[in-house]
Amino acid sequence: QSVEDFAFGLEEYDLIFSYESFHLFPKHSELIQRLAQALKPNGFLGIGWVMYAFDFHLKDSINKIFTKNGITWENWGEWTCPDFSLLVNESQAGFSEVQQKKIRTKTHVSTKQILDYFFSVSKTMSLNTNIKEKIAKELWEKLVELYPQDIV
């Protein structure tokens, strides 16, 4: 059942958490209002996402490589919901001030995992094999340049 059709109920939850998905939902203000109603008094609404170190290092290269092949990555960073505080305030849902907290974890992502990621998102899944191979080669070259010690 989609989040738009889900019957959250009234004052049902202590915590509602959206991970790597809030930016995908339509009608953010309406959703925030519905979530506020579903929370018990003093309940919490949280959203979270992953930011890999390569996101920032590869941003310009990714944009250039994909744009050259007819795929735009507009709204870079949209998944981090940079306007979440504004959305909460505009929704007039009665939440207290939005608090932002960062959690840093040490992780290792292989270059193959990075490449696999770029071809697992909706923008690239339906590309023909030749275009995927061409883009993958260009991305691989950039990865080797940026992370020569981490090529896996």
Side-chain angles (χ1 to χ4, degrees):
Q1 188 173 25
S2 72
V3 72
E4 295 86 18
D5 299 327
F6 189 78
F8 291 105
L10 297 174
E11 297 184 359
E12 295 277 330
Y13 305 96
D14 294 310
L15 170 68
I16 298 174
F17 194 80
S18 171
Y19 185 72
E20 293 273 322
S21 59
F22 189 84
H23 65 287
L24 300 172
F25 302 134
K27 302 178 186 173
H28 289 130
S29 291
E30 182 182 309
L31 178 59
I32 291 169
Q33 290 170 352
R34 290 181 57 224
L35 295 173
Q37 293 170 350
L39 286 168
K40 293 178 181 177
N42 299 313
F44 292 91
L45 170 62
I47 66 167
W49 57 87
V50 172
M51 291 294 292
Y52 294 104
F54 71 79
D55 283 332
F56 297 106
H57 297 291
L58 289 175
K59 176 184 174 184
D60 292 336
S61 297
I62 290 164
N63 280 325
K64 186 186 297 181
I65 291 167
F66 278 96
T67 299
K68 185 168 63 173
N69 290 282
I71 302 161
T72 60
W73 289 85
E74 69 279 339
N75 302 325
W76 188 274
E78 179 185 342
W79 65 90
T80 66
C81 300
D83 298 329
F84 187 68
S85 295
L86 181 63
L87 289 169
V88 169
N89 291 335
E90 287 177 351
S91 73
Q92 299 180 348
F95 282 109
S96 60
E97 185 177 330
V98 173
Q99 298 177 31
Q100 190 175 34
K101 310 233 180 206
K102 292 182 181 182
I103 300 171
R104 294 188 186 271
T105 59
K106 202 168 194 159
T107 185
H108 179 77
V109 178
S110 73
T111 49
K112 180 174 179 349
Q113 288 171 310
I114 293 171
L115 287 174
D116 288 348
Y117 163 75
F118 283 112
F119 295 106
S120 70
V121 296
S122 59
K123 287 179 184 261
T124 59
M125 284 184 117
S126 62
L127 290 174
N128 76 45
T129 304
N130 292 336
I131 298 285
K132 282 184 182 180
E133 288 173 359
K134 180 181 174 189
I135 292 172
K137 182 178 184 282
E138 290 180 62
L139 284 173
W140 180 261
E141 289 169 0
K142 191 62 179 176
L143 288 167
V144 169
E145 177 186 320
L146 288 172
Y147 305 109
Q149 71 282 4
D150 291 330
I151 297 302
V152 177

